[in-house]
Each structure stands twice: as C-alpha cells, then as structure tokens.
Amino acid sequence: MRKRLYAVYARLFARFGSQLWWPAETPLEVAVGAVLTQNTSWRNVEKAIFNLRGAKALSFRALRRLPEERLAELIRPAGYYNIKADRLVNLLDFLGREYGGNLRKAGNTSTADLRVKLLSVKGIGPETADSILLYAFDRPVFVVDAYTRRFALRHGFIKGDEDYASVQKLFMQNLKCDVKLFNEYHALIVRLNKDFCRKNDPFCDSCPLKGI
DNA sequence: CACCAGGCAAGTA
DNA sequence: TACTTGCATGGT
C-alpha cells in the first residue's frame, strides 16, 4: 500500500512535474477560493475571483468593507452566492478576531488547534479547512476532496464508503508528513483529473498511471 | 433537455 | 447514527 502510494506519486510527478500549488496570489485569496469552490467548478470560481479583483476586493480590509449583499453580487458566478457570502463573512470574522486579518500571525498555533478553530467557523467543513491549512497556512494535512476520493477509488486504495477522516488517515499514515509532499500529491491528483481525464481510469490506454 | 462541478449545514427518523 | 434536502451558476 505504502509503496504503491509512492509509486503512483512518482509516476504523476514524472508525467506532470512539480505543481507547488494553489492558483492564487495570496494566502487570503486561497482561503476565499477554498470557500467559493465548495461543490463548484473552478472555472466558475475564477469568474468570481475575477470580479473581486476587479472591485479591488481581495485584501482583508477591502473584503471587510464590502456589504454582504455586494459581496454576494460579486461572487454570483460561483453559485450558492448568498450562502457563500455568509460563509466568507464568517471566515473574515474569524481571521480578524484571531489574527487581525493577517494569516501569517497564526505561526504559533499548532496545526491541530488551528484545524479545530477553522472547523468551528460555520461554513467551513473538513475539506475547506484542510485546503486552507495546507495551501494558505502551509500545514502538513492531506486534502480529501472529490478528486482525491475518485483517485483513491480508481486505484484501489479505498472501497468507496469510507468517511473523510479514514481517507485522510490512509494518505497521512502512509506518506512522510511533509507539507511539500502533501501539496504536490493533491495538486497532481487534481491535475490528473483536469488535464488528463475526469475518470482517471488506471486501466484506460492513455492513463499516465497505467501498469502500476 | 439532463447532469455535473475541488461541500456544508440543517432537518428528519 | 444515517439518510435527505436546499443552496445556484455555468459548461457539456
């Protein structure tokens, strides 16, 4: 299992190269994107981010100044815009309260504590919390999203009905606990889905992972 | 036209 | 605990 997990990673890395990921300019933008992409295609999230950037509303202070209704209007293309505007406000409340809006001030907080705190924010579930932890706070947690699940299923790492924590444990207990490794691995899984094929079927002829 | 996309919370039994 | 439902846009 462990060897296979690394073998698959090596093959992906050889095929796609280093990702060093999350398509965003700043940690705050990562966090915002993580909320916006909940059950939503990244293509639509990009439109929302584009609107926010156009309104010069991607800094903490600018976001704070936006009335929730205006925020909802800007993120409309990302779908669920009323609920997501509310979730973003909750997140901003949290970031302001805990770190004065500067994510780098979380330096002392342990990863476990930070995760619990994020999960206490209404609208932040396990995947959103872990995406923020890994890609905005540079903490070593493995992100389990729809891609990760599909990937793990297709490659026989899981049966399919495991809960979030179980899937995450599978990856984290079999890989070296390392921010860069977790970053690259998850990014490569996403890349496989987006650039290659959405089913990432290891048995299809052109799959980069064929024959592992 | 139907179905999907990098979830989450609230309601029900 | 284990389902079910609402939330919504834009691409295929």
Side-chain angles (χ1 to χ4, degrees):
Chain A
M1 170 70 67
R2 183 164 316 203
K3 278 197 70 170
R4 199 175 142 69
L5 220 42
Y6 274 109
V8 168
Y9 173 74
R11 181 76 69 96
L12 284 174
F13 194 92
R15 173 70 174 74
F16 296 113
S18 174
Q19 307 294 304
L20 286 180
W21 198 56
W22 190 286
E25 305 279 330
T26 66
L28 177 64
E29 194 182 320
V30 172
V32 170
V35 170
L36 292 180
T37 199
Q38 288 170 359
N39 200 41
T40 300
S41 64
W42 185 252
R43 173 183 292 278
N44 283 1
V45 174
E46 282 179 319
K47 297 175 193 300
I49 298 278
F50 178 85
N51 288 346
L52 290 172
R53 183 161 284 130
K56 299 201 180 306
L58 274 172
S59 71
F60 178 79
R61 296 176 76 85
L63 278 167
R64 284 273 58 174
R65 271 198 299 272
L66 282 182
E68 187 167 334
E69 198 161 272
R70 173 66 177 146
L71 179 58
E73 193 180 311
L74 290 168
I75 65 172
R76 194 173 126 93
Y80 307 126
Y81 53 87
N82 288 311
I83 241 176
K84 284 177 180 174
D86 198 55
R87 289 175 180 180
L88 286 176
V89 167
N90 293 341
L91 176 63
L92 293 169
D93 283 345
F94 166 76
L95 293 174
R97 188 181 348 113
E98 298 284 331
Y99 312 113
N102 182 0
L103 280 69
R104 307 190 186 282
K105 289 188 182 166
N108 304 327
T109 317
S110 77
T111 299
D113 285 352
L114 192 46
R115 189 171 197 272
V116 169
K117 284 170 183 283
L118 281 169
L119 288 174
S120 75
V121 177
K122 191 183 294 184
I124 308 283
E127 185 199 323
T128 309
D130 289 337
S131 294
I132 294 172
L133 283 169
L134 178 60
Y135 291 110
F137 287 103
D138 294 312
R139 303 304 178 99
V141 295
F142 206 95
V143 175
V144 179
D145 56 11
Y147 292 151
T148 310
R149 246 173 216 294
R150 191 176 308 155
F151 169 83
L153 184 64
R154 299 301 292 175
H155 293 274
F157 295 126
I158 60 173
K159 202 171 53 169
D161 58 346
E162 293 86 350
D163 61 15
Y164 186 97
S166 305
V167 180
Q168 183 175 47
K169 215 166 75 177
L170 205 209
F171 283 91
M172 294 187 66
Q173 289 191 340
N174 289 290
L175 297 171
K176 184 179 69 162
C177 184
D178 179 73
V179 187
K180 192 168 245 181
L181 175 62
F182 292 166
N183 178 320
E184 295 277 19
Y185 208 139
H186 177 251
L188 284 165
I189 290 171
V190 175
R191 183 76 186 272
L192 177 67
N193 274 268
K194 287 191 172 171
D195 284 17
F196 173 68
C197 72
R198 295 163 75 168
K199 291 181 303 193
N200 71 80
D201 179 357
F203 300 109
C204 93
D205 289 337
S206 53
C207 182
L209 299 174
K210 191 174 169 55
I212 286 200

